[in-house]
Amino acid sequence: MSGLRELLMVRPGGTRLADIDPRSTPGLPGKRVVGGDPKRWSQTQVAEMSEELNTYQERLFASAKEGGTNRRVLLVLQAMDCGGKDGTVRNVTQGMSPAGMKAVSFGPPDEQERRHDFLWRIRRGLPPAGHVGVFNRSHYEDVLIVRVHNLTSEDVWAQRYEQINAFEAEETADGLTMVKVMLHISKEEQKKRLLARLDDPSKHWKYNPGDLAERARWEDYQRAYEDALNRCSTTAAPWYVVPADRKWYRNWAVATLLRDAFADINPQYPEPDFDAAAERAKLLAAE
Amino acid sequence: MSGLRELLMVRPGGTRLADIDPRSTPGLPGKRVVGGDPKRWSQTQVAEMSEELNTYQERLFASAKEGGTNRRVLLVLQAMDCGGKDGTVRNVTQGMSPAGMKAVSFGPPDEQERRHDFLWRIRRGLPPAGHVGVFNRSHYEDVLIVRVHNLTSEDVWAQRYEQINAFEAEETADGLTMVKVMLHISKEEQKKRLLARLDDPSKHWKYNPGDLAERARWEDYQRAYEDALNRCSTTAAPWYVVPADRKWYRNWAVATLLRDAFADINPQYPEPDFDAAAERAKLLAAE
């Protein structure tokens, strides 16, 4: 276990985003360990962890075979635009098999989704037993953009913090391990990344003119995030704030949080329901 | 384009599996090109293609944004037990983002699935627009294991070849590009791999005592495969037989087939619906 969780975990009521420097690198070992090049060191660590994550994923998958357990892992990523959600997903899942994953992006709800409770589509998006899920945005949008833009009345969204906690408690009691991560970038870093998008035609498809209007509400979003983080960081499903201006730190931190979550679960291959020696003999005896 | 498709494609009516050596490496360049080490050369090629596939996947995803196109790619993998389906999936998708993928394994149909036509669960498993799908087993099981074990009467399964062709023609006309691959291993190679599974406790979960009964029906399966390949290799959705005793060749061949399919589609980033220079100016003018 790395101890990183302790450093990044949101203590209910006590977290102010303004106090967390998006360029900081909490938990990164000292200069001697990283050999003067923390970026390179982190990338090597991520490559190594990717092997570990691969093995953990296979064991989780195997342990759930034929109804063995309902264990599932879910990485939830929230961030302002350009916060690095896509890049993080790509990076931390590089060692995993798509056969054991379920990645879902939550955009504005469609017509069918709007006819249901806000958690309806979330439940449908949860990973099945033995799988690793990734949420790119999540039910937290329903207390973020919805709140900032008054998409529902306050008495509706204000109840959702408790509803989210109840939902997450129910699912974690049913075998779900949630790793909830807010990628915390600075307003300056967002500007840099938006400019980079505008300057690269192969990135135009990721740009939306509405992004500028959202950016203008930066402070409102930060307050909405703080409330979500502080009210919904529970023992069962804590929130982590990962400083994300430096991509290499962000990747290292999220991979580490995921690896530590798996280490807690420590999924095991199931006991075989056959006699390997006897099967071996049968196989050799046959053609 | 590599020309590999021409070499591995099933010509309707003309393919006998016994004529294809599972240890052969068709299409692999000569000794001079591979520098005396075809395994290493193939692995380097796969790593390079993985970058290409990554870019193609992103472009496909981007091109389908907001209803742009209904283009989708589907890799279908069929093989005898231990044929290497899992390993192939893991290997050829290593560069891709899980956010744009949909990987589905088709085991024995469950109760709900059995109440529907055999193509019902297949349609539900298809990749959405802009996504890359992977089928680990597929609707072809319904003319393979179903036929070998008489799980339906012959007049039912015998009609399925035409039903499959109609279904695939319909979907390919609707933007689906199918890359259908049979991983062709020898009976000796299967024995080796089954023994390896039995000798490695971390692989026991992949072993099923029923595998030996299936192995005993090897010839029946080969005949069922030949019929499926010959009857369902169409211009719209051809079958490829990939010799698969050598894993490095198999990985190289499947990655190449997939890359060539993408090169045909050549998905493009969509034209922006905004003026990048104007957005840039607005962004710089604001805080």
Side-chain angles (χ1 to χ4, degrees), chain A residues 54 57-58 61-62 65 89-90 93-99 101 103 187 191 194-195 198-199 202 204-205 207 209 212 215 269-270 272 274 276 279-280 282-284 286-287, chain B residues 54 57-58 61-62 65 89-90 93-99 101 103 187 191 194-195 198-199 202 204-205 207 209 212 215 269-270 272 274 276 279-280 282-284 286-287:
Chain A
N54 183 342
Q57 186 204 17
E58 181 172 285
F61 191 82
K65 217 191 149 199
V89 172
R90 197 181 281 269
T93 63
Q94 60 187 299
M96 298 191 195
S97 168
M101 290 195 59
K187 202 172 174 188
K191 182 182 264 185
L194 284 170
L195 284 173
L198 287 167
D199 291 343
S202 80
H204 282 172
W205 67 280
Y207 183 86
L212 294 188
R215 177 173 164 79
Y269 292 110
F274 55 84
E279 292 298 313
R280 205 176 195 291
K282 264 194 266 178
L283 174 57
L284 289 170
E287 200 193 334
Chain B
N54 183 340
Q57 185 205 17
E58 182 172 285
F61 190 82
K65 216 191 149 199
V89 172
R90 197 181 281 269
T93 64
Q94 61 187 299
M96 297 190 196
S97 168
M101 291 195 59
K187 202 172 174 189
K191 183 183 265 186
L194 284 170
L195 284 173
L198 287 167
D199 292 343
S202 81
H204 282 172
W205 67 281
Y207 183 87
L212 294 188
R215 179 173 162 78
Y269 292 111
F274 55 84
E279 292 298 313
R280 205 175 194 291
K282 264 193 265 177
L283 174 57
L284 289 171
E287 198 192 334

Side-chain angles (χ1 to χ4, degrees), chain B residues 24 39 41 43 73 85 87 106 119 126 150 158 164 195 198 206 208 222 224 230 256 266 271:
Chain B
S24 63
K39 180 174 175 180
W41 181 87
Q43 287 166 339
V73 171
K85 298 185 300 296
F106 292 99
L119 291 170
L126 290 174
N150 300 307
I164 288 173
L195 284 173
L198 287 167
K206 288 189 160 198
N208 182 329
Q222 297 291 299
N230 283 311
T256 303
N266 195 18
E271 287 298 314

Side-chain angles (χ1 to χ4, degrees), chain A residues 31-73:
Chain A
K31 270 197 182 156
R32 200 138 24 131
V33 174
V34 302
D37 190 343
K39 180 174 174 179
R40 194 183 180 142
W41 181 87
S42 303
Q43 287 166 339
T44 310
Q45 289 286 306
V46 169
E48 279 172 26
M49 281 191 278
S50 134
E51 302 278 317
E52 271 183 90
L53 286 169
N54 183 342
T55 304
Y56 276 133
Q57 186 204 17
E58 181 172 285
R59 283 206 229 148
L60 183 72
F61 191 82
S63 74
K65 217 191 149 199
E66 283 157 34
T69 80
N70 197 29
R71 274 283 185 198
R72 307 153 281 153
V73 171

